[in-house]
Amino acid sequence: MSRVLVIDDSPMLLELTVRALTAAGYEASGAQDLAALDQKLTEGPFALILMDVNMPEMFGDDVVEYLRKQKGVTAKLVLYSDISEQELEAKVKNSGADSYILKSGGLEGVLGGVMGLIGAPALNIPKAPMAAGGRKPRILIVDDSEMTARIIEADLVSKGFEVHVADTADKATKIILKKQTRPDLVLLDVRMPNVNGEQFCRFIKSNSLFKGIKVLLCSGENVEELQRICREAGADGYIPKDAVMGSLVAKELMPPGAE
């Protein structure tokens, strides 16, 4: 069984974490408060419950005792927080939780922690092809919407990509200039303040240093407008924002003839 329950009072973090776990193949769901938690527990047992430590109406370490003693839950109980690791270790020990995951590790840290505790899901999840040198393919998401960028990041991380995020062209340029972070592909929002995606695409494609970097434009524009911008900016392709990001990007990076 690969059912995971995430408890967090932040709607954005809750959605991102559940999306990342679901994309990785787990049957994941979320709860923001005790009432929602109790409702989820009636839907069947979970293999792991991930709990934010600091929430308005309850603390994650108190919920551990509630779940063990009052609800008889046998799932792995994991505390999740951005407090110091030493303080988190102490809370795990005092509450009887099974483990902890640091929020500073991001979505990749959550996925790694969950897999380490309950194993990889049984589903067959497509993984990214390896890039040159045997490393993970590297993708840079450039989007001024943090929510959009993090949702796309969650999907791509779960599929085995190394992902970097920038909300401006200036930050993206710094990432591209460093050899150790230079991406294989840039997923570029068209509509951004200051330097827009069309201008930034031209910058990448006109610089011989960045030869080999693919650029996919990502936008909510209609298809005809996206095709025009793509053609005039020299992009390698485009993805409507409502498309399934992970599968399309994986296909774009897959070597010709590969299954």
Side-chain angles (χ1 to χ4, degrees), residues 1-42:
M1 179 186 65
S2 299
R3 298 187 71 225
V4 178
L5 177 62
V6 181
I7 307 170
D8 199 312
D9 64 304
S10 166
M12 185 179 78
L13 288 177
L14 184 63
E15 179 182 0
L16 290 175
T17 307
V18 169
R19 277 177 175 264
L21 290 165
T22 300
Y26 294 98
E27 184 183 338
S29 58
Q32 286 184 243
D33 52 37
L34 278 176
L37 168 59
D38 285 340
Q39 175 59 40
K40 290 294 180 182
L41 292 176
T42 66

Side-chain angles (χ1 to χ4, degrees), residues 127-132 135-140 156 159-163 182-187 212-216 236 239 245-259:
K127 291 296 180 180
M130 298 304 288
R135 63 170 175 79
K136 293 180 180 180
R138 203 175 284 141
I139 296 176
L140 170 61
L156 294 174
K159 289 176 170 61
F161 294 97
E162 177 187 332
V163 182
R182 187 170 300 155
D184 302 292
L185 182 144
V186 177
L187 191 59
I213 296 178
K214 291 186 177 184
V215 178
L216 294 185
D236 296 281
I239 303 177
M245 299 298 181
S247 60
L248 287 174
V249 173
K251 182 178 179 181
E252 182 66 28
L253 284 176
M254 191 72 72
E259 294 297 326

Side-chain angles (χ1 to χ4, degrees), residues 60-243:
D61 41 337
D62 292 332
V63 178
V64 170
E65 183 175 357
Y66 168 75
L67 291 174
R68 288 283 192 237
K69 294 184 177 180
Q70 295 189 40
K71 292 296 183 177
V73 170
T74 59
K76 295 281 188 183
L77 301 181
V78 181
L79 298 181
Y80 182 49
S81 181
D82 53 8
I83 62 177
S84 71
E85 187 167 7
Q86 292 79 6
E87 188 177 356
L88 198 50
E89 285 178 341
K91 286 184 177 294
V92 167
K93 183 178 180 180
N94 293 334
S95 68
D98 294 285
S99 189
Y100 66 86
I101 296 175
L102 294 169
K103 283 192 175 182
S104 58
L107 296 169
E108 193 164 2
V110 171
L111 292 173
V114 170
M115 286 184 183
L117 287 163
I118 62 173
L123 296 178
N124 182 24
I125 303 299
K127 291 296 180 180
M130 298 304 288
R135 63 170 175 79
K136 293 180 180 180
R138 203 175 284 141
I139 296 176
L140 170 61
I141 301 168
V142 187
D143 199 310
D144 63 322
S145 167
E146 181 181 2
M147 172 66 84
T148 299
R150 294 304 175 187
I151 289 174
I152 298 172
E153 178 191 21
D155 187 31
L156 294 174
V157 165
S158 73
K159 289 176 170 61
F161 294 97
E162 177 187 332
V163 182
H164 297 267
V165 176
D167 58 5
T168 66
D170 285 343
K171 292 178 182 177
T173 300
K174 292 177 181 178
I175 292 172
I176 292 176
L177 284 172
K178 294 180 181 178
K179 191 173 181 180
Q180 61 268 35
T181 57
R182 187 170 300 155
D184 302 292
L185 182 144
V186 177
L187 191 59
L188 182 59
D189 184 24
V190 172
R191 301 303 176 197
M192 294 191 299
N194 300 321
V195 179
N196 64 35
E198 187 175 351
Q199 294 168 323
F200 191 57
C201 179
R202 289 196 181 101
F203 164 71
I204 294 173
K205 290 300 184 180
S206 64
N207 194 320
S208 60
L209 182 65
F210 307 141
K211 184 179 179 181
I213 296 178
K214 291 186 177 184
V215 178
L216 294 185
L217 299 179
C218 179
S219 177
E221 301 282 350
N222 63 60
V223 173
E224 291 77 14
E225 179 65 6
L226 263 178
Q227 289 174 337
R228 181 196 67 77
I229 296 172
C230 184
R231 182 173 59 253
E232 294 181 3
D236 296 281
Y238 63 88
I239 303 177
K241 277 197 174 178
D242 59 355

